[in-house]
Amino acid sequence: MTSRINLQVRMRRFPQGRVDPADFELVEFPVPEPGEGEVLVRNEWLSLDPYMRLRMDPRRSYVEGLRLGDLMPGGTVGVVVASRDPTIPPGARVVGTRMGWQLWSCVPGSALRTIADNGVPLSTALGVCGMPGVTAHYGLFVVGRLRRGETVVVSAASGAVGSVVGQLARIRGARAIGIAGGAAKCRYVVEALGFDDCIDHRSPDFEARLADATPQRVDVQFENVGGTVMDAVLARLNEHARIVLCGLVSEYEQGPASGLRNTRELLVNRATLQAFIVSEHLDYWPGALEELAQWVRSGELRYREDVTEGLENAPAAFASMLQGGNFGKKLVRLDDDPVIEQGVQ
Ligand SMILES: NC(=O)c1ccc[n+]([C@@H]2O[C@H](COP(=O)([O-])OP(=O)(O)OC[C@H]3O[C@@H](n4cnc5c(N)ncnc54)[C@H](OP(=O)(O)O)[C@@H]3O)[C@@H](O)[C@H]2O)c1
């Protein structure tokens, strides 16, 4: 008899401040057989995303927090190995947000999207042609109501969401200014992605450089980071500016956030601040995904992936990403052949 052994990463303890790889444990677990309506998937790529840190926090959030011993949540791309959902045949490539940090996932077929062979690499279904890409699209065009000729400033500009935001702004005919950590990321954002400028938030003259880069001030602030970076952009708002509150990654690992000093700018500019969660707008996804894939195929939309090998290295990669250690969409490539044969008779 052959049995497959799954490898899972679970939360062992609540992180105290910064995530530590010791906050996780690797567990071996038998791979279940799919029940009625379920699909068994061998995962090939795991996405690491900042929201996972919010799930590891016992404080109230927009999704339920994890309990000790829970499987780490996460999106994956994989191949269907067995199926009891007639709409998803074995061999299909699928993406799902409920798959978790594991080599094998057994989930309802309704939780999966089949990836059409649409001329873009599979891994992009977790990045530019997946949740982060749709987040950029929805945030910029629907929440930000971006118009041609306006100025957008986006933080974490070399990352999964931010890199798409600035490029979509350029495609729409707007001016795109990025904020990123370090000279290499800033150079990439301008030279490879075509932003008009990118400012290093670590540089001592960050605020002055941001002012120089935004002579017409800022119409859309696409906020991914929060804290002092957010505060610096508030100081540059234009009248009737829209602040797209997408994320606050600099605040996920600390207690109370550093206070904003420039809230007066919200009042004097009659600004609108709106937060959103992309998973609450599922009707929007199909059209946006199609458009994103088209731009990737045409070369108008570029992307970069930062790949870690092996599930066992996911905790350290995740901890690093939350401190800006990633350069591009953070992915984990799972083992080519994770099947462990046991007790073959
Ligand atoms: N609302 C939604 O539905 C939704 C969906 C997806 C993502 N998000 C949010 O979007 C944001 C970006 O997510 P992502 O997946 O694209 O991640 P990412 O940008 O690929 O990676 C996170 C980046 O955050 C930056 N960062 C971390 N700590 C920072 C700090 N203290 N100060 C400044 N920058 C810091 C780092 O970039 P630098 O080195 O350049 O600083 C790091 O590379 C996150 O806040 C996430 O929660 C929201």
Side-chain angles (χ1 to χ4, degrees):
M1 203 189 85
T2 300
S3 63
R4 297 178 175 127
I5 298 297
N6 195 3
L7 193 62
Q8 295 189 329
V9 178
R10 299 182 185 178
M11 184 175 79
R12 192 170 74 81
R13 65 181 187 199
F14 289 105
Q16 300 297 315
R18 287 191 184 182
V19 165
D20 184 320
D23 298 332
F24 305 85
E25 60 187 343
L26 270 174
V27 178
E28 286 191 353
F29 199 74
V31 174
E33 293 294 325
E36 186 63 31
E38 286 188 331
V39 173
L40 179 65
V41 179
R42 180 167 67 76
N43 295 319
E44 299 172 320
W45 295 95
L46 167 67
S47 174
L48 297 181
D49 298 87
Y51 76 82
M52 296 162 177
R53 179 65 182 85
L54 292 174
R55 299 284 308 267
M56 300 180 80
D57 191 322
R59 284 178 296 177
R60 182 175 168 272
S61 184
Y62 58 87
V63 279
E64 204 184 328
L66 295 175
R67 289 159 305 177
L68 295 183
D70 278 352
L71 171 68
M72 284 298 295
T76 69
V77 160
V79 60
V80 173
V81 171
S83 175
R84 293 190 63 196
D85 178 330
T87 66
I88 307 182
R93 287 297 196 297
V94 290
V95 57
T97 54
R98 288 165 49 185
M99 311 286 257
W101 294 23
Q102 56 184 340
L103 299 183
W104 296 83
S105 302
C106 192
V107 293
S110 56
L112 298 173
R113 180 165 57 80
T114 303
I115 306 173
D117 184 7
N118 61 358
V120 299
L122 273 182
S123 57
T124 63
L126 296 171
V128 61
C129 296
M131 185 277 280
V134 179
T135 301
H137 200 295
Y138 185 84
L140 193 62
F141 295 148
V142 179
V143 183
R145 306 187 305 281
L146 178 70
R147 290 184 291 261
R148 189 175 188 79
E150 290 190 322
T151 298
V152 178
V153 170
V154 56
S155 47
S158 72
V161 174
S163 61
V164 180
V165 169
Q167 293 183 85
L168 296 191
R170 299 289 296 123
I171 289 171
R172 178 62 56 102
R175 187 173 152 76
I177 309 298
I179 296 174
K185 287 185 177 180
C186 287
R187 208 168 33 249
Y188 164 75
V189 164
V190 173
E191 292 175 7
L193 303 183
F195 285 41
D196 295 281
D197 206 344
C198 187
I199 317 298
D200 181 355
H201 63 78
R202 293 192 209 134
S203 67
D205 57 350
F206 167 54
E207 293 183 14
R209 293 211 45 224
L210 184 64
D212 288 347
T214 53
Q216 309 293 321
R217 305 185 74 90
V218 176
D219 302 295
V220 175
Q221 173 173 1
F222 198 107
E223 190 52 58
N224 284 325
V225 164
T228 52
V229 171
M230 177 174 182
D231 202 42
V233 187
L234 287 182
R236 299 297 305 155
L237 290 184
N238 218 342
E239 294 192 342
H240 306 294
R242 285 83 67 199
I243 300 159
V244 181
L245 184 50
C246 176
L248 295 168
V249 65
S250 74
E251 304 182 16
Y252 295 169
E253 301 211 271
Q254 61 185 27
S258 53
L260 298 176
R261 291 171 302 128
N262 291 315
T263 44
R264 181 179 184 277
E265 298 296 326
L266 296 170
L267 175 67
V268 300
N269 291 301
R270 288 87 75 210
T272 307
L273 185 153
Q274 188 184 335
F276 74 104
I277 297 299
V278 72
S279 54
E280 291 181 345
H281 305 282
L282 294 179
D283 288 354
Y284 190 82
W285 285 51
L289 286 171
E290 207 170 298
E291 208 166 26
L292 290 161
Q294 213 173 306
W295 282 322
V296 170
R297 280 194 301 271
S298 70
E300 283 169 278
L301 184 54
R302 302 180 73 177
Y303 64 96
R304 177 180 177 124
E305 296 174 336
D306 181 334
V307 178
T308 290
E309 299 290 339
L311 184 65
E312 65 283 7
N313 295 316
F318 180 56
S320 167
M321 179 189 74
L322 291 168
Q323 294 299 318
N326 62 311
F327 192 168
K329 169 63 203 158
K330 189 68 219 176
L331 295 171
V332 180
R333 195 188 338 244
L334 303 175
D335 301 348
D336 281 333
D337 183 13
V339 182
I340 301 170
E341 306 277 343
Q342 281 201 338
V344 179
Q345 291 180 349

